[in-house]
Amino acid sequence: MGNVVLNLSMAEINKMKNYYDGKLLDKVPPGGIFSAKTASCTITAYKSGKVLFQGSGNEAEASRWGVAASLKAPANSKAARGNLPEGFSQLSVIGSDEVGTGDFFGPITVVAAYVRKEDIPLLKELGVRDSKDLKDEKIIAIAKVIKDVVPFSLMTLKNEKYNQLQMSGMSQGKMKAILHNHAILNVLEKISPVNPDAILIDQFVQESTYFQHVKNQKSVAKENVYFSTKAEGIHLAVAAASILARYAFVQYIDKLSESAGFRVPKGAGAQVDEAAARLILKKGREVLPQYVKLHFANTEKAISLVNKKFKK
């Protein structure tokens, strides 16, 4: 049976945690971030970045997130790519992706973008690829060009609304599913009467969970919809969507920074704790909902920093 271990970034681990929403276990081992259990595998993610897959389905489950040294499956194997049609990368596809889910400051931005097969060579020439591989300056430069090349829809869930939904009991996974669905429907309307060959969503929850999340929406995109992790590397439509979503997120962070009066950092590390503490000291704790995702542990850390400062 054996085990499989992957080394992943915190952003990838946060995405995994959202993906396994509904399968999370109450008990987490020391140093762990989360544990989840599927029918054939137990997944445990640690603060070190290591993710352990145990059980008979360990290799298939791990291949959703990357290929460990012990795995022999090729990158384009069925386990890694799901049930996508042959030649998928050369089809005309709507791809959707999101940014900001693991960032303390700033909104969630979701973009769906339609890339015709005829435009694939041009997008490659422009340097379109996964936004995580690009610096902000490059993302801005590419986004300014491709926003006039590909039809797209941007959905921005601002912090105040995000916090309201979260406190009402809505999971981040459901918020994202609704945003993805809206963005995709908007693009379908923009390109009508043309129909894409397929729709590819960068997978953040299991397919059944996604459709459960959106079942009460007025309209749901269901035809030729596919899900895959690491979808930016499967079709340029998702890579284009990720760049446009990152571009929108960076612009929003710039606005928050201007409002705060200092540079607001991205991510969820110690630097954001200090920035949030600075914001509280400058503008008061009541402004936090406009800037941050309140349920993140960073909120209490920032408040603790403020309290320590007052005790000095």
Side-chain angles (χ1 to χ4, degrees):
M1 189 177 294
N3 301 323
V4 172
V5 177
L6 298 181
N7 286 294
L8 301 176
S9 68
M10 283 301 114
E12 289 174 309
I13 287 173
N14 284 331
K15 181 175 281 193
M16 289 180 75
K17 187 174 181 180
N18 287 326
Y19 176 82
Y20 292 112
D21 185 33
K23 298 183 182 296
L24 297 175
L25 301 175
D26 292 332
K27 291 185 179 180
V28 179
I33 297 174
F34 76 85
S35 289
K37 187 171 180 61
T38 68
S40 60
C41 184
T42 299
I43 306 99
T44 306
Y46 294 89
K47 293 175 183 176
S48 64
K50 286 184 168 53
V51 183
L52 175 64
F53 297 82
Q54 299 169 288
S56 60
N58 58 19
E59 293 193 2
E61 200 64 36
S63 68
R64 293 178 184 274
W65 307 101
V67 180
S70 61
L71 295 179
K72 304 301 182 182
N76 63 349
S77 70
K78 185 174 180 181
R81 288 178 171 260
N83 59 344
L84 298 178
E86 288 295 322
F88 191 91
S89 65
Q90 298 304 310
L91 299 179
S92 296
V93 169
I94 292 176
S96 68
D97 200 0
E98 83 283 331
V99 169
T101 58
D103 292 89
F104 183 48
F105 282 94
I108 293 178
T109 55
V110 173
V111 169
Y114 176 55
V115 171
R116 302 179 307 157
K117 57 187 175 184
E118 304 95 292
D119 292 328
I120 291 174
L122 172 61
L123 294 183
K124 285 183 178 179
E125 179 111 3
L126 292 171
V128 173
R129 60 184 187 275
D130 183 0
S131 67
K132 291 189 286 294
D133 296 334
L134 301 169
K135 293 185 177 179
D136 285 351
E137 295 78 12
K138 186 67 173 175
I139 286 169
I140 291 167
I142 295 173
K144 284 181 176 178
V145 177
I146 66 173
K147 68 184 179 65
D148 297 320
V149 175
V150 299
F152 73 95
S153 173
L154 165 67
M155 307 296 296
T156 301
L157 182 58
K158 297 179 181 179
N159 293 96
E160 284 184 303
K161 184 65 175 176
Y162 175 93
N163 290 318
Q164 289 170 9
L165 292 172
Q166 194 278 327
M167 285 187 280
S168 75
M170 185 181 291
S171 70
Q172 191 186 85
K174 184 169 183 176
M175 294 181 214
K176 291 196 293 182
I178 293 171
L179 292 168
H180 276 268
N181 184 59
H182 276 307
I184 291 165
L185 290 173
N186 288 345
V187 174
L188 285 169
E189 186 175 346
K190 282 186 179 183
I191 67 174
S192 179
V194 173
N195 288 316
D197 295 325
I199 296 168
L200 179 61
I201 299 172
D202 189 52
Q203 191 164 19
F204 54 91
V205 291
Q206 292 183 319
E207 182 177 345
S208 59
T209 304
Y210 174 89
F211 284 116
Q212 180 69 20
H213 284 331
V214 299
K215 69 177 183 179
N216 292 326
Q217 298 299 298
K218 288 182 180 179
S219 183
V220 176
K222 292 182 178 178
E223 189 174 348
N224 292 326
V225 174
Y226 296 88
F227 299 80
S228 179
T229 57
K230 301 185 181 296
E232 305 95 331
I234 293 175
H235 199 283
L236 283 184
V238 181
S242 75
I243 287 173
L244 291 166
R246 173 61 66 178
Y247 175 51
F249 180 79
V250 168
Q251 286 184 309
Y252 204 95
I253 287 291
D254 288 343
K255 290 179 183 178
L256 287 182
S257 298
E258 186 177 345
S259 174
F262 59 89
R263 188 65 198 167
V264 168
K266 296 190 283 291
Q271 77 278 8
V272 305
D273 303 339
E274 294 170 7
R278 183 178 175 185
L279 184 65
I280 294 169
L281 290 168
K282 188 173 182 179
K283 293 180 176 287
R285 183 172 169 178
E286 65 274 8
V287 304
L288 281 182
Q290 304 166 36
Y291 289 83
V292 306
K293 300 175 182 71
L294 289 173
H295 66 108
F296 278 35
N298 304 91
T299 300
E300 292 305 318
K301 291 177 183 177
I303 292 170
S304 177
L305 287 173
V306 171
N307 292 338
K308 286 178 182 177
K309 188 172 183 67
F310 278 122
K311 285 180 182 178
K312 287 182 179 180

